[in-house]
Amino acid sequence: MKSGQRLQHADDQRDEIHLMLLQKPKFFYASPSPGVTIYKYDAQTQQMTTLGTVGAAVLIDKSSFSFFLLFYMSKQNVLVNLKVTPTFSYTVQEGMYGSFLDDKQQRWSIGFTSTVLCDAFAINVAFAIYAATKKDDLFIQELQQGKGESMREGDKVATKWVGYSYNPQKSNELEQFDASTSLQQYLLGGNNVIDALDKGTIGMKRTGRRIVVCGPRFCESQDKLPPLVPRDSHIVFVIDLEKTKRNPQAPQSRAQQPVDVPSSPSNDQRHISSSYKETNSSSVMQRIERLAT
């Protein structure tokens, strides 16, 4: 993906229903359709019910810098229209599913046809939660937990990353500005990279994948440390931790993350290998039901 390219959607994929639904807020991200299946949890039967294929979007009200989640079957049948708040939690599981509670504590799960679409939606939701906090701080959303020990200051890591930026004066959506072309090695706490990557990697485990959202102050670099990010922009990094080397002399305790890292209901982060067309099979439905427990 080249610099300036949009994140996994194009205007021509926004059909007539998209345009009719709302005049304000505006669309920040719309998941390509078809591609999203929604499930509703029934507390009485303790089972997930498949409602069908839906349109899924993240909306923005620029005047208040507020975000909304929208899931709909048609203009007349909107299933979820939810304002994202600082307490909103979105969990990614098995690389293909997302799970959340709405403002009435109703559990919803959404399934995607690929990990690419699942990650793209999670990136935009993470940005929406960050914006809702109204703080210039780090927000972290786990995509995959990883294995082994959590990294701390003094440890050496090798990562790959993709960077997205958002400047409300210049764009209506997240745009990719750069990506690592090879493994980038650095010492945590060693002032080898900008704070967004340094602090954003602390706590990760090997093979883990994480979204880090932050304000401009975490990307300042007087020494031209990589990467060079757009000025005066909100930044999103998707970090993949490929290699780790523990420093036995590193302190046993580390500073707490600036925000709470959402925890997944399950540590099973394996991708679903079966065809997504088999979503009504018992094995897949059991996975979906676990999202609500």
Side-chain angles (χ1 to χ4, degrees):
M1 185 179 290
K2 299 180 180 179
S3 179
Q5 187 170 347
R6 293 187 176 93
L7 182 63
Q8 298 299 328
H9 78 254
D11 287 343
D12 57 3
Q13 292 172 317
R14 298 172 180 174
D15 56 20
E16 185 178 359
I17 295 175
H18 282 102
L19 300 177
M20 290 190 300
L21 276 170
L22 288 175
Q23 297 298 322
K24 180 182 178 182
K26 302 296 184 181
F27 280 90
F28 188 72
Y29 174 80
S31 184
S33 58
V36 181
T37 302
I38 195 165
Y39 309 84
K40 185 176 182 180
Y41 181 68
D42 188 326
Q44 292 185 342
T45 63
Q46 297 186 348
Q47 293 182 342
M48 301 298 294
T49 302
T50 305
L51 300 184
T53 302
V54 296
V58 179
L59 309 175
I60 181 173
D61 181 349
K62 275 194 171 183
S63 63
S64 61
F65 201 40
S66 299
F67 288 80
F68 303 81
L69 295 187
L70 183 68
F71 298 93
Y72 60 92
M73 290 185 169
S74 67
K75 180 182 178 182
Q76 293 77 24
N77 189 6
V78 177
L79 299 179
V80 180
N81 187 0
L82 174 69
K83 183 176 182 179
V84 177
T85 66
T87 59
F88 179 76
S89 178
Y90 181 81
T91 301
V92 177
Q93 196 169 25
E94 295 187 338
M96 297 281 281
Y97 297 98
S99 180
F100 64 93
L101 290 174
D102 64 19
D103 51 0
K104 297 180 181 179
Q105 299 302 298
Q106 171 65 54
R107 171 71 67 181
W108 298 87
S109 294
I110 48 177
F112 297 85
T113 55
S114 71
T115 57
V116 173
L117 293 180
C118 184
D119 287 356
F121 195 79
I123 289 168
N124 283 273
V125 172
F127 187 84
I129 300 173
Y130 156 82
T133 65
K134 308 295 183 183
K135 297 179 181 179
D136 180 15
D137 214 336
L138 285 181
F139 176 80
I140 292 172
Q141 171 77 56
E142 302 291 0
L143 288 175
Q144 183 168 303
Q145 294 290 341
K147 303 175 182 178
E149 298 179 299
S150 298
M151 293 296 97
R152 60 196 184 199
E153 288 190 4
D155 293 334
K156 292 182 179 179
V157 298
T159 67
K160 288 185 178 180
W161 50 264
V162 180
Y164 302 92
S165 66
Y166 175 70
N167 186 324
Q169 304 302 320
K170 299 179 180 180
S171 177
N172 291 321
E173 57 201 348
L174 291 173
E175 293 185 348
Q176 182 179 321
F177 64 86
D178 203 356
S180 57
T181 56
S182 60
L183 282 178
Q184 184 170 358
Q185 301 183 41
Y186 47 96
L187 177 70
L188 293 180
N191 196 32
N192 303 127
V193 291
I194 59 175
D195 283 350
L197 289 177
D198 186 84
K199 297 182 183 301
T201 308
I202 290 177
M204 291 187 72
K205 299 178 181 180
R206 184 175 58 85
T207 72
R209 196 159 197 245
R210 171 182 283 184
I211 301 168
V212 177
V213 192
C214 64
R217 72 183 180 94
F218 288 92
C219 301
E220 296 173 353
S221 173
Q222 296 179 350
D223 300 322
K224 304 300 181 183
L225 298 177
L228 298 179
V229 303
R231 294 175 58 87
D232 302 322
S233 297
H234 302 280
I235 301 298
V236 178
F237 283 107
V238 181
I239 304 173
D240 287 279
L241 181 53
E242 302 283 343
K243 297 182 179 180
T244 63
K245 185 176 182 180
R246 173 68 87 191
N247 179 3
Q249 304 301 322
Q252 294 298 313
S253 60
R254 63 177 178 85
Q256 296 292 320
Q257 295 288 346
V259 296
D260 292 332
V261 179
S263 58
S264 297
S266 167
N267 290 325
D268 181 8
Q269 295 293 335
R270 294 170 298 178
H271 296 326
I272 295 175
S273 58
S274 60
S275 169
Y276 194 74
K277 294 180 180 180
E278 299 174 5
T279 52
N280 288 324
S281 67
S282 59
S283 61
V284 175
M285 288 305 295
Q286 287 173 1
R287 287 191 179 101
I288 293 295
E289 289 168 8
R290 286 204 300 271
L291 296 177
T293 60

